[in-house]
Amino acid sequence: MSVYENMRTADIVAEALLDWKVDIIFGLPGDGINGFIESLRRRQDKIKFILVRHEESAAFMACAYAKYTGELGACVATSGPGAIHLLNGLYDAKADNTPVIAITGTTYSDLMNSSYQQDVNLLQLYSDVAVYNDMISVPEQAEMAVDIACRTALAQRGVSHLTIPIDVQEKKLNGKYSRHNIAYHTSDVYVAETIPSHRLIEKAAEILNAGSRIVLLVGQGALESGEEVLAIAEKLGAPVVKALLGKAVIPDDNPYTTGGLGLLGTTPSSDSMNEADTLLMIGTSFPYIEYLPRPGQARGIQIDIRPEKIGLRYPVEIGLVGDSKLILSALLPLLEQKHNLEFLKSKQHAMKNWNNLLKEQSTRNDKPIKPQVIAKTVSDELDDNAIISVDCGTNTSWAARYINIRKGMKFSVSGTLSSMANGLPYAIAAQIAFPERQSIAFVGDGGLTMLMGEFATAVQYNLPIKVIVLKNDTLGMIRWEQMGFLGNPEFGVEFTPIDWVKFAEACGGKGYTIREPNEVKSKLHQAMKERKPTIIEAYIDPFEPPMPPKVEMSFVNNLAESFARGQPYASRIGLTLFRDQVHNILKNIHSHSVKKMETD
């Protein structure tokens, strides 16, 4: 007889989740899932249910919880619209290889496909986002389905989805298994440690020992391997370039790192890639392949937990599938100490110049306030074990460059999906996972507006998160994409303003406003000491451009073209660019565009 005899399907699902150490679940109740919600009510001493204001946030929170803890994230939603709302946050988990299980309700089993209320084919809807996707149709299936779903999400680092019809949630197990389904046959055991053969690791070592200009590119998959990454870098005399999701792999002030790569990166990182003869990629699927060495330029080695990611971005010679910490530990004794450190030292010297440039940009007293100043001051106020959650937009640029990660901190963003609105839900999940640590959301006002109701969730659960809002009433990144990538005047990117202090107070939290440069340090310092959920709105220069580390002439030409075609703030933007010394490039543009700029 099964231990679940006479237990409802919903209760079996809850017990099976507990077996997988799921003790936090984010979501919203509803008639399509209320049977399972009742199971959570009965187990509220074992599973904490976090009520959100929007299901998208529940999925974002589950994703962030998994990212920050390394454990399985979980979310729940009702049938139809509730399940639909989960999808964006679940795609965030899929894109960033994060293990999440989503439980949804669905309509009565005998009314499916009859256009009944909230009747949506959820298996079809979730078929792309989920690595495991199933409907529990009888109680006898429930334990097995949960075990497979949890194990698959962890093993494949993706989303598992289980949907349960309303009536099935209430059915009780009576032991009527089919003759092939034996009770207790399933297991809640998952083994994560994997490592390739020693011979393959030896071949990788031979390639690295033969290189003279070796670069390490680290991502999210190396977050638990910081010590090993540094040991490898020291042995090889190799600069460490960090993908954004790998920003916390090693501290930003470590002499071996050249910081980020790509539009949000540094000039030394770009130069490192351009000069490399060997590339070691660790736990990353960095998508912008134009910033990697040219195919054929460098010999490539890649370490990744997922075999299908090997060779996805660069034509590697060796792929090492498994846990990066174990593989790097096995690789290290096979590496020869490099004595010619000219390549590394040149990049370290370049980083000194780059950091001096960042220091100059982040200490300016211009009005409106430069966003770099806000980011640097936030960085200075962070605790040594702070958790920083960043939204997507121009705020990502300022966070990537001016928030310095120290050892012990955590940092994340919607990396591959690059979804707006993730910052606030991420910060809430981080505070729930680590109640004693400082949790910061660094966001733009556009992204915050999308899921602003979750600030009330932080108030409801007394979570002392700090939300730093870069206030410019503009979709800043989209403005610069329209101008700099396409040569179009901006369109559809401006909002009417929101008083974020009044909003914070209306929700029951605290609010601070920063308008003047001389207020930045004192206001942020005061706000960071609050023990209530707090929003700090900082009025920033809306025309400060998030410039790439190296400005291509095509970017400048596109800006000039957008000016010539009627960019509404051409003179203001032109003045800002001039003050930021981009005018040295702009002056080479043909005269008619310059004249247009001068008359706007």
Side-chain angles (χ1 to χ4, degrees), residues 474-494 555 558-559 561-563 565 567-568:
T474 302
L475 294 171
M477 186 62 79
I478 298 172
R479 161 186 278 166
W480 290 101
E481 288 169 347
Q482 289 176 347
M483 295 167 57
F485 294 169
L486 297 175
N488 295 333
E490 66 177 69
F491 180 74
V493 297
E494 289 189 297
F555 180 85
N558 285 336
L559 287 184
E561 180 65 20
S562 74
F563 289 4
R565 295 179 61 194
Q567 168 59 31

Side-chain angles (χ1 to χ4, degrees), residues 452 455 459 471 497-513 515 534-537 539:
M452 59 195 287
F455 187 75
V459 172
K471 182 179 174 61
I498 293 174
D499 188 325
W500 291 106
V501 171
K502 288 183 178 178
F503 169 74
E505 292 172 347
C507 291
K510 296 283 290 185
Y512 288 79
T513 298
R515 295 179 183 270
T534 303
I535 293 179
I536 305 103
E537 60 172 3
Y539 284 73

Side-chain angles (χ1 to χ4, degrees), residues 520-532:
V520 175
K521 290 185 179 180
S522 60
K523 288 281 187 76
L524 272 170
H525 182 74
Q526 183 181 357
M528 290 292 194
K529 301 301 181 185
E530 294 285 353
R531 296 306 301 161
K532 298 178 68 175

Side-chain angles (χ1 to χ4, degrees), residues 335-535:
L335 298 178
E336 299 169 358
Q337 180 66 55
K338 301 288 185 183
H339 298 289
N340 184 348
L341 303 180
E342 182 179 347
F343 178 62
L344 172 65
K345 288 181 177 179
S346 71
K347 299 302 167 279
Q348 290 174 330
H349 178 73
M351 274 304 290
K352 289 181 180 178
N353 294 333
W354 177 264
N355 287 329
N356 287 335
L357 174 64
L358 295 189
K359 183 177 180 180
E360 188 278 328
Q361 292 174 345
S362 62
T363 54
R364 292 167 62 175
N365 291 316
D366 305 55
K367 187 179 177 181
I369 302 167
K370 294 296 182 183
Q372 298 95 316
V373 174
I374 302 297
K376 176 59 168 62
T377 308
V378 169
S379 181
D380 292 341
E381 289 289 335
L382 294 176
D383 293 345
D384 287 341
N385 64 350
I387 305 172
I388 304 96
S389 302
V390 179
D391 219 308
C392 291
T394 53
N395 64 288
T396 320
S397 298
W398 315 129
R401 289 179 178 164
Y402 297 93
I403 293 181
N404 291 316
I405 296 298
R406 303 191 292 276
K407 186 176 182 179
M409 291 182 176
K410 294 178 181 288
F411 175 99
S412 199
V413 63
S414 174
T416 310
L417 187 64
S418 296
S419 174
M420 294 172 65
N422 72 287
L424 175 57
Y426 268 39
I428 290 172
Q431 195 74 85
I432 290 169
F434 301 97
E436 301 306 316
R437 296 174 68 167
Q438 187 185 50
S439 180
I440 305 295
F442 191 81
V443 304
D445 48 5
L448 179 59
T449 304
M450 288 183 172
L451 291 173
M452 59 195 287
E454 299 308 335
F455 187 75
T457 302
V459 172
Q460 179 170 344
Y461 290 98
N462 195 28
L463 304 172
I465 63 170
K466 306 300 181 292
V467 183
I468 291 88
V469 189
L470 299 182
K471 182 179 174 61
N472 57 14
D473 304 320
T474 302
L475 294 171
M477 186 62 79
I478 298 172
R479 161 186 278 166
W480 290 101
E481 288 169 347
Q482 289 176 347
M483 295 167 57
F485 294 169
L486 297 175
N488 295 333
E490 66 177 69
F491 180 74
V493 297
E494 289 189 297
F495 293 114
T496 54
I498 293 174
D499 188 325
W500 291 106
V501 171
K502 288 183 178 178
F503 169 74
E505 292 172 347
C507 291
K510 296 283 290 185
Y512 288 79
T513 298
I514 299 173
R515 295 179 183 270
E516 302 293 333
N518 61 9
E519 296 178 328
V520 175
K521 290 185 179 180
S522 60
K523 288 281 187 76
L524 272 170
H525 182 74
Q526 183 181 357
M528 290 292 194
K529 301 301 181 185
E530 294 285 353
R531 296 306 301 161
K532 298 178 68 175
T534 303
I535 293 179

Side-chain angles (χ1 to χ4, degrees), residues 10 26 30 39 47 199 268 300 319 342 462 499 523 544 566 569 577:
F26 305 91
S39 299
I47 303 180
R199 180 58 191 140
E342 182 179 347
N462 195 28
D499 188 325
K523 288 281 187 76
E544 180 66 15
Y569 300 104
L577 292 172

Side-chain angles (χ1 to χ4, degrees), residues 218-261:
V218 300
Q220 181 177 238
L223 284 174
E224 301 301 320
S225 309
E227 296 298 328
E228 291 75 15
V229 166
L230 279 178
I232 297 286
E234 291 171 7
K235 203 78 173 281
L236 298 176
V240 179
V241 178
K242 301 191 291 184
L244 187 57
L245 287 174
K247 184 173 171 64
V249 171
I250 62 174
D252 280 318
D253 63 356
N254 188 280
Y256 280 91
T257 186
T258 56
L261 186 65

Side-chain angles (χ1 to χ4, degrees), residues 139-354:
E140 288 78 8
Q141 178 194 0
E143 181 188 17
M144 177 184 68
V146 174
D147 285 347
I148 296 173
C150 293
R151 187 181 300 108
T152 304
L154 290 164
Q156 298 190 29
R157 304 196 63 79
V159 175
S160 282
H161 169 239
L162 293 174
T163 191
I164 319 171
I166 297 170
D167 53 318
V168 174
Q169 293 173 44
E170 300 294 337
K171 286 184 177 179
K172 291 185 176 181
L173 180 71
N174 57 19
K176 293 183 178 179
Y177 293 91
S178 66
R179 65 189 181 93
H180 299 294
N181 187 9
I182 306 301
Y184 302 115
H185 81 275
T186 187
S187 171
D188 53 24
V189 174
Y190 166 66
V191 179
E193 294 186 355
T194 54
I195 190 168
S197 70
H198 188 69
R199 180 58 191 140
L200 206 56
I201 295 174
E202 287 179 332
K203 289 182 179 179
E206 291 170 5
I207 293 173
L208 293 170
N209 287 332
S212 59
R213 298 185 303 279
I214 305 165
V215 176
L216 276 56
L217 176 61
V218 300
Q220 181 177 238
L223 284 174
E224 301 301 320
S225 309
E227 296 298 328
E228 291 75 15
V229 166
L230 279 178
I232 297 286
E234 291 171 7
K235 203 78 173 281
L236 298 176
V240 179
V241 178
K242 301 191 291 184
L244 187 57
L245 287 174
K247 184 173 171 64
V249 171
I250 62 174
D252 280 318
D253 63 356
N254 188 280
Y256 280 91
T257 186
T258 56
L261 186 65
L263 290 173
L264 313 181
T266 73
T267 300
S269 287
S270 293
D271 290 342
S272 295
M273 290 296 178
N274 289 335
E275 300 169 25
D277 65 13
T278 310
L279 175 64
L280 173 58
M281 303 172 67
I282 307 170
T284 180
S285 293
F286 181 79
Y288 304 106
I289 56 178
E290 67 269 27
Y291 287 94
L292 299 179
R294 297 178 304 279
Q297 169 194 325
R299 302 181 74 180
I301 301 168
Q302 185 175 354
I303 299 172
D304 206 287
I305 196 71
R306 300 184 63 172
E308 71 271 21
K309 299 290 185 180
I310 300 294
L312 180 64
R313 309 297 187 200
Y314 195 78
V316 298
E317 293 183 42
I318 298 289
L320 302 174
V321 177
D323 179 85
S324 63
K325 192 177 186 73
L326 295 176
I327 294 172
L328 292 175
S329 297
L331 182 62
L332 183 62
L334 305 177
L335 298 178
E336 299 169 358
Q337 180 66 55
K338 301 288 185 183
H339 298 289
N340 184 348
L341 303 180
E342 182 179 347
F343 178 62
L344 172 65
K345 288 181 177 179
S346 71
K347 299 302 167 279
Q348 290 174 330
H349 178 73
M351 274 304 290
K352 289 181 180 178
N353 294 333
W354 177 264

